[in-house]
Amino acid sequence: MTRPPLARRPPTLALAVAVMLLPRLVRAERRQAQALFEQGRVLLEAQRYAEACPAFAESQRLDPGGGTLLNLALCHEKQGRLATAYTEYQDALSAARADKRPERERLALLHLEALEGKVARVRFEIASGAEGAPITIELDGTKVP
């Protein structure tokens, strides 16, 4: 019995290597996320919001967590991006409830209440017959699905 050419063999070696390396990659991302979070905290304390917010955002992307989300929301609030902060506080509130973190839940609620009267509300009405037409809505420069 002959073995299939190398190009047709199942990628078992590549799969085995990927399975072995995956935990290391995850740990590396978590370490990077933690370093970015700590950097964000230092920058936030120094009121360097333009640098702190991206650090928190990248930390959240690498290793999502309720605490990081709260700090990102606070940073955006300090930056004056109130609608973005409000949405992030809502997400942080949901995460705190899911994780059973009452202190984080209380903190998110306090900030949501403080922003309640400051965040503008917009109502969109689609004209009859315009259904299906392409519509783009942006919030602080980010497209809203």
Side-chain angles (χ1 to χ4, degrees):
M1 178 175 203
T2 59
R3 294 177 59 120
L6 194 56
R8 290 204 212 132
R9 287 187 193 162
T12 54
L13 179 60
L15 182 60
V17 170
V19 168
M20 289 173 35
L21 292 178
L22 186 60
R24 289 183 186 171
L25 293 173
V26 170
R27 284 193 301 271
E29 280 193 349
R30 285 188 177 150
R31 282 193 303 271
Q32 185 180 5
Q34 183 62 36
L36 285 164
F37 177 83
E38 291 169 8
Q39 177 186 14
R41 291 292 302 156
V42 169
L43 292 166
L44 186 64
E45 287 294 320
Q47 298 179 2
R48 293 171 54 186
Y49 309 123
E51 298 166 77
C53 293
F56 286 130
E58 182 63 8
S59 176
Q60 181 70 8
R61 186 189 71 77
L62 291 171
D63 187 21
T68 306
L69 195 51
L70 274 172
N71 280 277
L72 180 59
L74 178 62
C75 191
H76 283 141
E77 181 180 356
K78 298 283 187 184
Q79 249 185 343
R81 295 181 62 189
L82 302 184
T84 297
Y86 191 85
T87 300
E88 290 163 346
Y89 282 128
Q90 287 177 320
D91 292 343
L93 176 61
S94 295
R97 287 178 174 159
D99 296 342
K100 297 183 181 7
R101 304 289 299 259
E103 183 59 30
R104 288 182 182 173
E105 184 178 341
R106 185 185 67 76
L107 187 60
L109 282 170
L110 283 172
H111 283 273
L112 284 168
E113 289 172 10
L115 290 177
E116 190 66 37
K118 298 177 184 177
V119 176
R121 302 275 192 264
V122 179
R123 179 177 172 179
F124 297 95
E125 292 186 24
I126 311 280
S128 180
E131 298 88 0
I135 297 173
T136 303
I137 300 172
E138 293 184 6
L139 175 65
D140 289 335
T142 303
K143 285 188 179 179
V144 176

